[in-house]
Amino acid sequence: GENVEQHPSTLSVQEGDSAVIKCTYSDSASNYFPWYKQELGKGPQLIIDIRSNVGEKKDQRIAVTLNKTAKHFSLHITETQPEDSAVYFCAARAPGGATNKLIFGTGTLLAVQP
Amino acid sequence: GAVVSQHPSWVICKSGTSVKIECRSLDFQATTMFWYRQFPKQSLMLMATSNEGSKATYEQGVEKDKFLINHASLTLSTLTVTSAHPEDSSFYICSARGGSNYGYTFGSGTRLTVV
């Protein structure tokens, strides 16, 4: 089955700097890659996603890139702000079957220092 | 946008009792619902997937008789933790999906503490 690895596990940046989180997946058939932000005690919130037919997607300060050949995708946050501090999870979905379940990475704790 | 409501947000129960957690899709029909468990500082681990009107599909290592999942309607799924023990204490999160054009919307989670 699908396996998703995520790095780094923790990331500390200064306010205004950029942050990059990287994930790799194992199933070449995976076709959907969302990124979630989770604040303490809350459920994950979708911040951006990308499908396998697209190489890059941007939404204001957030961007995601996908390299299907290398089977990795990355989250880029520019001009970080203290409110960006949270745990970020990547995920991958392998098609097929009736479930289309998401497999999550191990998470990255992002701390933005004011 | 798609909204999923999960209740209760937290619950404390005595060892040996059962607890039910509800997950509702408020503005879309959820053909598939997913239940996750998350231990502190860890990732979301998928417990089971349910399609409306069908029996849930459990992930390897998840006891189906302990974690009862019901998805009787397109807007409601429930997870019942039966005969709860302290090791079942965790953060349980549901997610709903309403077709190929919909993403995966997550509930706000339920903190279960078994004493």
Side-chain angles (χ1 to χ4, degrees):
Chain A
E2 176 65 278
N3 182 53
V4 179
E5 295 187 357
Q6 183 172 347
H7 299 280
S9 57
T10 60
L11 179 60
S12 181
V13 299
Q14 291 294 317
E15 182 177 0
D17 288 349
S18 295
V20 180
I21 303 171
K22 299 182 179 181
C23 288
T24 59
Y25 60 98
S26 61
D27 190 342
S28 58
S30 290
N31 61 3
Y32 176 65
F33 308 92
W35 285 90
Y36 292 90
K37 176 183 181 182
Q38 187 180 29
E39 297 179 337
L40 190 63
K42 298 183 180 180
Q45 294 293 314
L46 178 71
I47 56 171
I48 197 167
D49 57 10
I50 191 167
R51 299 185 186 275
S52 58
N53 59 348
V54 177
E56 184 175 358
K57 183 177 178 181
K58 188 174 182 180
D59 182 4
Q60 299 183 350
R61 298 187 296 111
I62 297 173
V64 56
T65 58
L66 171 66
N67 183 326
K68 285 194 298 182
T69 303
K71 290 189 285 188
H72 67 68
F73 56 113
S74 301
L75 176 70
H76 305 253
I77 305 175
T78 59
E79 300 173 26
T80 54
Q81 302 167 2
E83 49 265 38
D84 294 330
S85 297
V87 179
Y88 290 81
F89 291 98
C90 63
R93 180 189 71 190
T99 62
N100 287 319
K101 57 189 179 184
L102 289 179
I103 302 301
F104 281 81
T106 48
T108 297
L109 175 60
L110 174 64
V112 180
Q113 309 296 332
Chain B
V3 178
V4 170
S5 175
Q6 184 174 344
H7 293 281
S9 57
W10 61 270
V11 58
I12 301 173
C13 72
K14 291 185 177 180
S15 195
T17 62
S18 296
V19 173
K20 180 183 285 187
I21 302 170
E22 289 191 351
C23 182
R24 292 180 184 272
S25 56
L26 298 186
D27 51 2
F28 67 101
Q29 293 185 327
T31 52
T32 307
M33 286 195 172
F34 306 86
W35 287 94
Y36 294 84
R37 179 167 54 183
Q38 186 178 34
F39 291 108
K41 297 185 179 181
Q42 293 189 22
S43 187
L44 285 76
M45 298 304 296
L46 181 65
M47 299 174 65
T49 304
S50 68
N51 291 300
E52 185 265 338
S54 302
K55 289 184 178 180
T57 301
Y58 290 81
E59 295 298 302
Q60 190 173 6
V62 178
E63 301 175 59
K64 59 180 64 177
D65 293 331
K66 181 170 185 62
F67 299 99
L68 302 179
I69 292 172
N70 183 283
H71 190 173
S73 78
L74 284 171
T75 60
L76 174 65
S77 177
T78 61
L79 166 67
T80 301
V81 183
T82 64
S83 187
H85 288 93
E87 56 265 32
D88 298 325
S89 298
S90 188
F91 194 54
Y92 292 87
I93 310 170
C94 69
S95 174
R97 186 167 182 261
S100 61
N101 292 323
Y102 286 84
Y104 299 74
T105 304
F106 285 81
S108 54
T110 297
R111 171 72 58 192
L112 171 63
T113 302
V114 184
V115 297

